[in-house]
Every structure is written in structure tokens, then in C-alpha cells.
Amino acid sequence: MAVLFSDDWMNQLKDEWNGSEEVRGKLAEINFSSTIACGFKGDGTPTGIFVVENGECVKAGDYNGESVDWDMRADKKNWMKWLDKPLGMASMGMAVTMGKLKFETGDFGAMIKDPRMATPFVKSFALMGAIGGE
């Protein structure tokens, strides 16, 4: 099992993402392109990076100083909990409100109000759960 947000883990997420019509396909319909980073609260930089062009992940791996549109952070124990039980729409809103999931970069409020983006975003947490991690 790969270490959460490692190069190997991020590339497994890339494969899951690109194989998901509910995520890649729906985001392709709206020409969604973005650079997404993930990591842990308190770290100076994110751990992993995920580059999406027109819905498809074209690059994933270790964060190397790239400019990001989204930077999601949480404590490792919360990330691990969400791998076991992926966040849904309501639980994600609660996690953000309670500060368990923090967006260092990106407008969570605007994204969550747009179902064309919010639904695939929430479904991406289930993809993370399919990979697991340590």
C-alpha cells in the first residue's frame, strides 16, 4: 500500500480519476482545468500534486513548487478517516466549517455552490478511498 500523497499514491489516484466517468467525464464536460495540491496541516508546502486539463489528469506526483489553484490540507488522522469513509457533500461542508479540511488556496464556497464541479469533487474522495494509504 502506498504512502498517502506520495508519488506512487498520486499516480494511483490519477489512474482512478481518469477511469471515472463521474469525475473525469463530468469535469471534461465543463472544460475543467486546474492544478490541485494535497498535504498536511502545518507543513510549509503540500505533499502531492495533481494536474487536470479538460477533466483529465495529465500529471501527478510529488509537489515540486508548482503554482497551484487548489491546496487542500488536513491532519493525517482525518485524511486516513476519509479514506475509510469518504466525505459526502454534507460531511465535506462540515469538515471545512470545523476546520478539519482547510483550503490553503482555492475558493471552496464558490466551488461547492456549482454542482458541475462540486459533485465530481466529492466523488474524488471516494476514488481516494479506493486506493487506501498508509
Side-chain angles (χ1 to χ4, degrees), residues 3-14 34-41 43-52 57 59-74 79 128:
V3 173
L4 185 63
F5 305 135
S6 66
D7 183 75
D8 184 39
W9 193 93
M10 295 302 289
N11 276 286
Q12 288 180 52
L13 179 59
K14 174 184 174 186
S34 200
T35 300
I36 305 162
C38 303
F40 303 102
K41 279 185 174 180
D43 288 355
T45 60
T47 306
I49 192 87
F50 198 77
V51 180
V52 178
C57 180
K59 178 185 172 195
D62 293 328
Y63 175 78
N64 290 308
E66 296 91 344
S67 176
V68 300
D69 302 299
W70 299 92
D71 181 355
M72 300 182 295
R73 307 286 185 95
W79 282 121
M128 292 179 186

Side-chain angles (χ1 to χ4, degrees), residues 85-100:
K85 186 177 181 200
L87 291 170
M89 196 71 74
S91 57
M92 180 173 298
M94 196 60 128
V96 170
T97 300
M98 295 177 66
K100 292 181 178 181

Side-chain angles (χ1 to χ4, degrees), residues 77-133:
K77 74 173 188 145
N78 284 320
W79 282 121
M80 298 307 288
K81 180 174 70 174
W82 300 329
L83 292 181
D84 288 335
K85 186 177 181 200
L87 291 170
M89 196 71 74
S91 57
M92 180 173 298
M94 196 60 128
V96 170
T97 300
M98 295 177 66
K100 292 181 178 181
L101 178 62
K102 180 154 177 48
F103 286 79
E104 298 284 337
T105 306
D107 186 349
F108 174 78
M111 181 271 299
I112 208 70
K113 290 176 187 168
D114 184 345
R116 300 171 310 153
M117 287 195 318
T119 302
F121 178 72
V122 169
K123 290 184 184 293
S124 74
F125 276 78
L127 300 178
M128 292 179 186
I131 298 166

